[in-house]
């Protein structure tokens, strides 16, 4: 017998700005270490990935997620039980992946950006991408290509 679908499916928070501003060369799935009140805020969708970036270090091996805002969870109260909204959060990845990312970010114009935060088997996962910045004309080309594809799809749907 099939499992019933939950009333509130797990949220999937996207960073659409990243795909607009960067060319994504390679993606990695990493875990993220969150506190209890942060998990509840993420499940409510009170998170912004747009300003965030990731720092890779090899001494010690570590990935840090910086400038991602996770809103406060009001029922958690105040004081020690509440988290800081923009604190640096540790990402969980294999040592070889951290080493690869750190070497890649040493070249000029390359950075690591968060693309998507989602839950998988009850654990928070973050899809990160190795990115290089787009120039202004690249952004215009992407917009023009997307609009052309949209027009083609409209014409095809009218034809049916």
């Amino acid at each position: 017998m099939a499992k019933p679908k939950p009333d509130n499916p797990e949220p999937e928070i996207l960073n659409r700005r990243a795909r607009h501003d960067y060319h994504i060369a390679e993606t990695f799935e990493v875990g993220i270490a969150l506190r209890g009140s942060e998990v509840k805020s993420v499940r409510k969708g009170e998170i912004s990935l747009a300003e965030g970036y990731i720092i890779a270090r090899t001494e010690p091996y570590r990935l840090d997620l910086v400038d991602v805002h996770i809103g406060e969870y009001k029922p958690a109260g105040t004081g020690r039980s509440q988290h800081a909204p923009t604190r640096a959060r540790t990402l969980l990845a294999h040592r070889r992946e951290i080493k690869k990312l750190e070497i890649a970010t040493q070249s000029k114009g390359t950075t690591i950006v968060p693309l998507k935060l989602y839950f998988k088997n009850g654990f928070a996962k973050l899809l990160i991408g190795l990115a290089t910045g787009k120039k202004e004309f690249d952004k215009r080309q992407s917009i023009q290509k997307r609009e052309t594809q949209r027009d083609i799809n409209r014409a095809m749907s009218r034809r049916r």
Side-chain angles (χ1 to χ4, degrees):
M1 188 167 165
K3 291 182 181 178
K5 290 189 178 181
D7 292 338
N8 54 349
E10 299 289 349
E12 194 172 86
I13 293 90
L14 298 173
N15 184 1
R16 294 187 307 220
R17 188 85 196 162
R19 299 227 185 243
H20 177 74
D21 290 343
Y22 300 100
H23 291 287
I24 307 298
E26 193 172 356
T27 61
F28 298 91
E29 181 186 69
V30 297
I32 181 169
L34 297 173
R35 295 181 62 188
S37 59
E38 290 174 329
V39 173
K40 297 212 177 217
S41 289
V42 169
R43 286 187 193 275
K44 284 178 64 178
E46 296 178 2
I47 181 171
S48 173
L49 295 174
E51 304 86 26
Y53 60 96
I54 292 144
I55 298 171
R57 296 186 187 114
T58 54
E59 286 298 323
Y61 285 95
R62 179 181 183 133
L63 285 177
D64 288 325
L65 179 64
V66 183
D67 283 348
V68 169
H69 185 274
I70 297 179
E72 292 183 349
Y73 185 65
K74 301 294 184 209
T78 58
R80 288 183 9 176
S81 59
Q82 195 60 262
H83 65 273
T86 56
R87 73 177 181 90
R89 291 163 180 92
T90 303
L91 299 179
L92 311 170
H94 292 284
R95 185 176 286 205
R96 67 181 176 275
E97 291 175 344
I98 296 171
K99 196 174 199 177
K100 182 178 182 179
L101 288 168
E102 202 235 352
I103 290 168
T105 56
Q106 288 175 352
S107 64
K108 186 176 179 183
T110 306
T111 188
I112 310 167
V113 294
L115 301 173
K116 180 168 70 168
L117 187 120
Y118 54 95
F119 286 89
K120 185 176 179 181
N121 299 327
F123 293 103
K125 299 289 183 177
L126 186 68
L127 186 69
I128 61 175
L130 193 58
T132 54
K134 283 186 181 179
K135 304 286 187 217
E136 193 63 37
F137 63 87
D138 290 333
K139 293 178 188 178
R140 284 195 292 263
Q141 281 180 336
S142 296
I143 292 169
Q144 184 179 11
K145 188 175 172 184
R146 186 172 58 233
E147 288 176 354
T148 305
Q149 187 62 40
R150 192 177 297 145
D151 291 341
I152 291 169
N153 291 341
R154 282 185 190 141
M156 294 299 285
S157 66
R158 281 188 216 127
R159 213 172 150 180
R160 290 181 190 161

